[in-house]
Amino acid sequence: MRDVRRSPFAVTGAIALVAATLAVPVTAGAGATGVTGGDTEYLVLLETGADRNQAIAAVKAAGGEVVKENAHLGTLTVRAAASGFVARVSASSAVEGAARSRPIGTVPQQKPRTVERENGGTGKAGAGKKTVGMDPLDAQLWGLRMVRSDLARQVQPGKKSVKVGVLDSGIDARNPDIAPNFDWKLSRNFAPDIPEIDGVCEFRGCVDPVGWDDSGHGTHVAGTIGAAVNGVGVSGVAPNVTLVEIRGGQDSGFLFLGPVTDALAYAGDVGLDVVNMSFYVDPWLYNCTANPADSPEAQAEQRTIIRAMNRALNYAHNHGVTLVGALGNNHEDLGKPRTDLSSPDFPLNTAYPRPIDNATCVDLPAEGPHVIGVSALGPSTTKADYSNYGLEQTDVSAPGGWFRDFFGTPQFRTNENLILSTYPVNALQVGGLVDATGNITPAGVAAGAQKQCPGGVTEYTKCGYYFVLQGTSMASPHATGVAALIVSQYGKKSHGDFGMNPDKVGRILMDTAQARACPNPPLQTYTNEGRSDEFNALCEGTRNFNGFYGHGIVDAYAAVTRH
């Protein structure tokens, strides 16, 4: 594995190359009937070493139109008819497979986020203790204290030369906690809006500019990783690192194959040090090689998703990117998965029961190669009821929030148990949590929204807005922040750029985590918290490594001082 990075000149060249391979349409020409294209977008995966022109001809013959090419990964983005294309194009010896990447022309839909917003605006507010030397709202960030970022920053707050990619829904760079650390030059949007699922386009060409986030998810993740220490709002685990938006998600919350793989390839090409992935690739919760419950076309599609994601993850890792992923919110042991009742999740209401064979099915990217899997904890350090777990995939654990923590105390079902981070005001306004003049509504107060403005600022769009969420999506960025501190502390400059071998980063992250034993008894039940027996979780393993905590709770201070 390489820890050698490109010089600034080479990075500039790489950006130009990626822009060419990812954004410039490929002229495939019309078929014999003059009819090509369609209402569905596919990612076509070329066989390794295959003739590109042969593959493009196969796409045309199958009725598809090539609209984009990623030469690094050997993929073509194609528009074709909703059915039949996968089988036709896969018959070519130049094509390894094809999978639906994104829908075009369907009814507006939002991906459900019931776990992350479990408080539903009914949580009780809690008050944190003031912590010296941190930002005003940091007293409410129990997660920072759990991972000891408050101590680590006295030794290593992060270096600007360390670049962290947020592969998500975008980042609101207007937030005063994000703006100082946001990299406008490197940031890219790989997921143009689809009006039929994302709503009316706000920007020309349906392409949101970088520094914009209609969902809020990516901005929340980014703030936990690297919100600046600036006397306003909150600070992140690594408050001095550089944040790079590599948007692969839709406003509606979906993350489809094409934008995700393009973003991962770009991360490798421009020399990002760490990438956070708080999602799974839609529409399948588990991608299986040959699930009998799936149609032959669905089986072929999933095999292509697995191969394309593996290719993209390997590419990023081999180019020096440390990959960190959320384990998911399905409250199950990933090594002993239950029947999948949620896939496909797009279009909505098309899911059907799919028994899952652990040997042939994977949750991506969490179970992909080189991904550091992160489970979620509540403020008591108990595994959150929603969090996935298991000996196979839990590498480390981190604060993710748990609304139902501290049963039997006044802190039960309070917003204090959740993760507070940066959030776009536009997303809060759409939800009715902030009014048209920028003031937090009563519903917003109940839901946990907060606002802080830098001194002298009167225009609300220049103020910082903050919101509470829970999920493994919130745990992963805590681990990502610690990984960024590790690169900052131990990385080396080579060929004009700064970086560190991702395998070394992972080893330090795990070796310095706070070991935590399984509960006693090891069967964690959540009956008191109001959950069914399905949520009961058996912790297996030892104090040094187990299915709830992995190698332990990530520890920023130990990571930058004990190695």
Side-chain angles (χ1 to χ4, degrees), residues 385-424:
D385 56 5
Y386 57 79
S387 179
N388 288 347
Y389 59 98
L391 285 170
E392 285 190 6
Q393 299 301 336
T394 308
D395 292 308
V396 291
S397 54
W402 183 27
F403 188 56
R404 304 186 188 208
D405 208 350
F406 296 114
F407 173 78
T409 76
Q411 198 170 330
F412 177 61
R413 298 182 71 93
T414 63
N415 291 336
E416 186 179 359
N417 293 337
L418 306 179
I419 301 297
L420 179 69
S421 188
T422 48
Y423 215 75

Side-chain angles (χ1 to χ4, degrees), residues 339-388:
T339 296
D340 175 14
L341 301 175
S342 64
S343 300
D345 65 358
F346 189 92
L348 294 183
N349 303 317
T350 59
Y352 52 88
R354 306 171 64 235
I356 299 300
D357 171 35
N358 185 53
T360 58
C361 300
V362 287
D363 179 358
L364 293 169
E367 294 187 291
H370 311 297
V371 178
I372 298 169
V374 188
S375 65
L377 311 176
S380 69
T381 70
T382 302
K383 185 193 81 70
D385 56 5
Y386 57 79
S387 179
N388 288 347

Side-chain angles (χ1 to χ4, degrees), residues 36-365:
T36 59
D39 59 2
T40 301
E41 185 174 285
Y42 296 88
L43 193 75
V44 175
L45 189 66
L46 277 63
E47 287 281 2
T48 302
D51 182 276
R52 169 184 174 274
N53 292 329
Q54 182 183 350
I56 291 175
V59 167
K60 185 179 82 169
E65 176 189 7
V66 179
V67 296
K68 193 167 57 174
E69 178 181 9
N70 189 321
H72 301 306
L73 298 183
T75 60
L76 302 173
T77 300
V78 174
R79 289 188 178 181
S83 63
F85 173 76
V86 169
R88 290 193 298 269
V89 76
S90 298
S92 169
S93 61
V95 173
E96 186 168 345
R100 286 173 297 168
S101 177
R102 302 196 307 163
I104 304 168
T106 55
V107 297
Q109 299 178 59
Q110 283 281 331
K111 186 171 181 177
R113 291 171 63 182
T114 53
V115 169
E116 292 176 357
R117 297 179 180 173
E118 188 193 349
N119 67 336
T122 61
K124 297 171 285 186
K129 298 178 181 178
K130 183 174 178 60
T131 304
V132 177
M134 300 175 76
D135 277 343
L137 299 182
D138 284 354
Q140 301 174 42
L141 304 190
W142 54 269
L144 280 189
R145 296 188 295 278
M146 183 182 290
V147 305
R148 301 208 292 175
S149 168
D150 53 336
L151 301 178
R153 66 187 57 189
Q154 305 304 319
V155 177
Q156 177 57 264
K159 292 181 177 178
K160 290 295 182 191
S161 56
V162 174
K163 302 178 288 292
V164 181
V166 179
L167 207 177
D168 214 290
S169 63
I171 301 177
D172 180 12
R174 297 172 299 172
N175 190 297
D177 272 322
I178 297 292
N181 292 339
F182 189 77
D183 191 318
W184 290 94
K185 291 182 178 180
L186 286 183
S187 292
R188 294 288 185 277
N189 176 6
F190 296 96
D193 288 348
I194 305 171
E196 292 81 6
I197 66 171
D198 296 322
V200 177
C201 294
E202 301 158 284
F203 298 96
R204 191 174 188 177
C206 284
V207 179
D208 292 350
V210 296
W212 185 265
D213 181 12
D214 279 317
S215 166
H217 193 274
T219 301
H220 197 281
V221 165
T224 296
I225 296 169
V229 175
N230 58 357
V232 178
V234 300
S235 64
V237 173
N240 278 10
V241 299
T242 295
L243 298 169
V244 181
E245 172 189 334
I246 48 172
R247 176 176 164 176
Q250 306 301 135
D251 292 343
S252 49
F254 294 96
L255 285 100
F256 297 111
L257 179 64
V260 169
T261 54
D262 283 349
L264 285 169
Y266 177 79
D269 286 322
V270 300
L272 301 191
D273 295 284
V274 189
V275 166
N276 186 85
M277 300 177 291
S278 290
F279 61 89
Y280 70 85
V281 178
D282 297 295
W284 305 98
L285 175 61
Y286 287 95
N287 286 278
C288 305
T289 56
N291 192 327
D294 299 325
S295 69
E297 185 165 351
Q299 292 178 10
E301 174 181 286
Q302 292 168 58
R303 287 193 292 270
T304 299
I305 292 173
I306 293 169
R307 293 164 183 162
M309 281 298 296
N310 286 351
R311 195 177 287 186
L313 292 167
N314 282 324
Y315 185 88
H317 176 268
N318 292 339
H319 283 71
V321 182
T322 298
L323 301 163
V324 183
L327 284 185
N329 301 334
N330 205 39
H331 58 274
E332 66 181 328
D333 185 336
L334 288 174
K336 304 169 185 176
R338 300 189 306 272
T339 296
D340 175 14
L341 301 175
S342 64
S343 300
D345 65 358
F346 189 92
L348 294 183
N349 303 317
T350 59
Y352 52 88
R354 306 171 64 235
I356 299 300
D357 171 35
N358 185 53
T360 58
C361 300
V362 287
D363 179 358
L364 293 169

